[in-house]
Amino acid sequence: MTLSVAVSGASGYAGGEILRLLADHPDVDVRTVTAHSSAGQPLVAHQPHLRSLAHLELQPTTPEVLAGHDVVFLALPHGQSAQYTDALADTGLVIDAGADHRLTSAADWAQFYGGDHSDPWAYGVPELPVAGGKQRQKLVGASRVAAPGCNASTVALSLAPGVAAGVIDPGDIVSVLAVGPSGAGRSAKTNLLASEILGTANPYAVGGTHRHIPEIRQALAAAGASAESIRISFTPVLVPMARGILATSSAPIREGVSDAEIRAAWEEAYAGEPFVELLPAGVFPRTADVLGANVASIGLAIDRAANRVVAVAAVDNLVKGTAGAAIQSMNIALGLAETTALPLNGVAP
């Protein structure tokens, strides 16, 4: 059976990437694409690379237009998805690529986003270690899925195996990320102009203010840490690459834990996972190697001089960080082959 799909926010980066992957999915038919100010225009006027979907026209983003499909993707700015969810009560599967349904804590939502807190949905990071197994189990048969924040899932995947195995102390996590500007969306912003970012690296949301921090804490708590014990210093740095995240995260090694036990925690967590790659000891990822792929590539180092584990992870923020995670979660929720339409290979050079 072919599933009918609607994608909102189809003129943006996240919506466009969802469409790029869905275009090759054998089990879906993309019937409707929506936008706000671009409604009434051809999809290819905003996504000229999506040639196989050139017949589609952007429609207004309204509950009436989105209703009546088997699957709806909400690729909207934060705070805008929740207004549509009640109207989509009869839709079998709704996947939110924004933040509206990620956080379980109303206090965290108020502090980092503001406005009304919406009900949390199943978190769309299938490989994430959680108490009793993997997050994948919570996605089976789900009707509502919250796709992750790209920075948050990258850091969580980097460190969750160590938390779950009890080999690192989550009370002193430090994460520094090099990120591409596409993660900020497609809206015109002066600080994201090429003339502003080429030839420079710019830190932002410094000092515990980034919105993905509570999402990281929530994911690591699900992996087995007490929420009160988690402390993270998180610093993103904007760098001149269109796509990509390179996250370097470290945490103290617990007393008495051996190097072999540390390595085994990550190996066992990601054994058999098609889209999380643990590199050989001494090898570390590059963002170029995951460009276009639904893959998180992780290199692990044990710094005994500082008594810390260092995990370096690379993802394509628009694929594994957003659209790929959403479609992978869709496949699981609907009982389809998990890897369907998701690229394992990247693009080079």
Side-chain angles (χ1 to χ4, degrees):
M1 180 181 71
T2 301
L3 301 162
S4 62
V5 174
V7 177
S8 67
S11 60
Y13 288 141
E17 196 70 354
I18 290 169
L19 288 168
R20 183 179 75 88
L21 299 176
L22 288 177
D24 292 325
H25 200 300
D27 300 305
V28 307
D29 176 21
V30 179
R31 295 184 184 173
T32 303
V33 291
T34 79
H36 286 290
S37 59
S38 304
Q41 301 176 26
L43 173 66
V44 291
H46 297 270
Q47 310 286 9
H49 60 299
L50 299 179
R51 298 173 185 86
S52 66
L53 301 177
H55 59 285
L56 295 174
E57 180 180 291
L58 293 165
Q59 299 184 45
T61 303
T62 66
E64 295 76 18
V65 170
L66 294 173
H69 298 82
D70 297 311
V71 182
V72 173
F73 289 87
L74 300 171
L76 301 171
H78 304 319
Q80 294 190 19
S81 298
Q83 63 184 305
Y84 299 102
T85 55
D86 288 344
L88 297 175
D90 294 332
T91 300
L93 178 59
V94 181
I95 301 176
D96 185 11
D100 293 27
H101 298 280
R102 291 176 191 159
L103 298 184
T104 59
S105 168
D108 281 343
W109 180 266
Q111 178 181 352
F112 286 87
Y113 291 93
D116 295 333
H117 176 246
S118 301
D119 291 338
W121 291 354
Y123 191 48
V125 185
E127 304 90 350
L128 186 69
V130 299
K134 294 286 185 70
Q135 181 64 18
R136 176 181 290 108
Q137 295 160 332
K138 299 180 181 181
L139 291 166
V140 175
S143 63
R144 300 292 182 267
V145 173
C150 53
N151 296 315
S153 61
T154 304
V155 174
L157 287 169
S158 299
L159 296 177
V163 171
V167 300
I168 62 172
D169 177 4
D172 182 19
I173 294 170
V174 177
S175 292
V176 179
L177 296 80
V179 301
S182 59
R186 202 171 190 176
S187 298
K189 302 179 181 71
T190 300
N191 67 308
L192 300 181
L193 294 172
S195 56
E196 299 290 333
I197 66 171
L198 292 177
T200 185
N202 306 309
Y204 66 99
V206 178
T209 62
H210 196 283
R211 288 173 166 179
H212 288 175
I213 290 173
E215 188 179 337
I216 297 168
R217 291 199 307 250
Q218 179 176 294
L220 295 182
S226 66
E228 299 77 17
S229 71
I230 301 169
R231 297 289 183 274
I232 179 169
S233 172
F234 178 92
T235 306
V237 180
L238 193 67
V239 298
M241 58 183 181
R243 294 172 178 245
I245 297 171
L246 187 72
T248 302
S249 303
S250 72
I253 301 167
R254 290 197 182 276
E255 186 175 353
V257 174
S258 69
D259 290 11
E261 289 173 314
I262 294 168
R263 182 77 189 181
W266 271 260
E267 288 178 344
E268 291 171 9
Y270 296 134
E273 290 290 356
F275 298 125
V276 179
E277 171 189 46
L278 181 63
L279 297 172
V283 180
F284 299 93
R286 309 180 305 168
T287 56
D289 297 330
V290 294
L291 182 66
N294 189 55
V295 172
S297 184
I298 301 173
L300 197 66
I302 301 168
D303 184 351
R304 282 295 176 181
N307 197 45
R308 298 179 75 88
V309 170
V310 181
V312 182
V315 305
D316 183 324
N317 58 293
L318 292 178
V319 189
K320 186 57 177 167
T322 306
I327 292 170
Q328 188 177 347
S329 298
M330 178 195 77
N331 288 339
I332 295 168
L334 296 175
L336 305 174
E338 184 174 338
T339 58
T340 304
L342 295 171
L344 184 64
N345 296 323
V347 177

